[in-house]
Amino acid sequence: IVFIVGVNLGPVSSYTRSIVVTMIPPGFQTNFLSFYELTQKGTAWIGPLVIGTLSSLLGAEYFSLISIMTILAELLIGLPLFWLVDVERGQRLAQAYGEAE
């Protein structure tokens, strides 16, 4: 499971970035992409913190199990949220906002 997630992490990151780019109003690319990168890099510490804390509490012998369960939890939380994004609506709103400015 970890191998599959690791192999697909790069393409998923690229896909989400391209989705975000299509929903940015024209002329605001720098602002939105800066915020996107800040939130992406700014939350990178959460996974290691959770795994490290659980490993300390439960013992190092459960490290592999904790890692796999953390990855699965992130997927189970993130995928439904990703599926709720209405890309076409976001593109329409971005275009309308860009024309209004």
Side-chain angles (χ1 to χ4, degrees), residues 9-20:
L9 194 59
V12 167
S13 178
S14 297
Y15 179 70
T16 57
R17 185 174 289 112
S18 62
I19 292 290
V20 167

Side-chain angles (χ1 to χ4, degrees), residues 21-96:
V21 166
T22 65
M23 294 191 294
I24 296 175
F28 291 88
Q29 290 88 353
T30 305
N31 299 4
F32 278 80
L33 288 175
S34 297
F35 182 71
Y36 176 81
E37 288 299 321
L38 179 68
T39 57
Q40 187 177 15
K41 302 298 183 203
T43 58
W45 56 271
I46 294 174
L49 176 68
V50 169
I51 291 172
T53 302
L54 291 175
S55 294
S56 294
L57 293 174
L58 300 175
E61 62 271 7
Y62 294 109
F63 181 75
S64 296
L65 177 65
I66 292 168
S67 299
I68 291 170
M69 296 304 287
T70 303
I71 290 169
L72 288 175
E74 290 171 357
L75 287 173
L76 291 173
I77 294 168
L79 281 176
L81 292 175
F82 185 71
W83 289 326
L84 291 174
V85 175
D86 187 351
V87 176
E88 292 175 357
R89 181 173 182 257
Q91 291 170 341
R92 284 192 311 272
L93 291 172
Q95 189 64 35

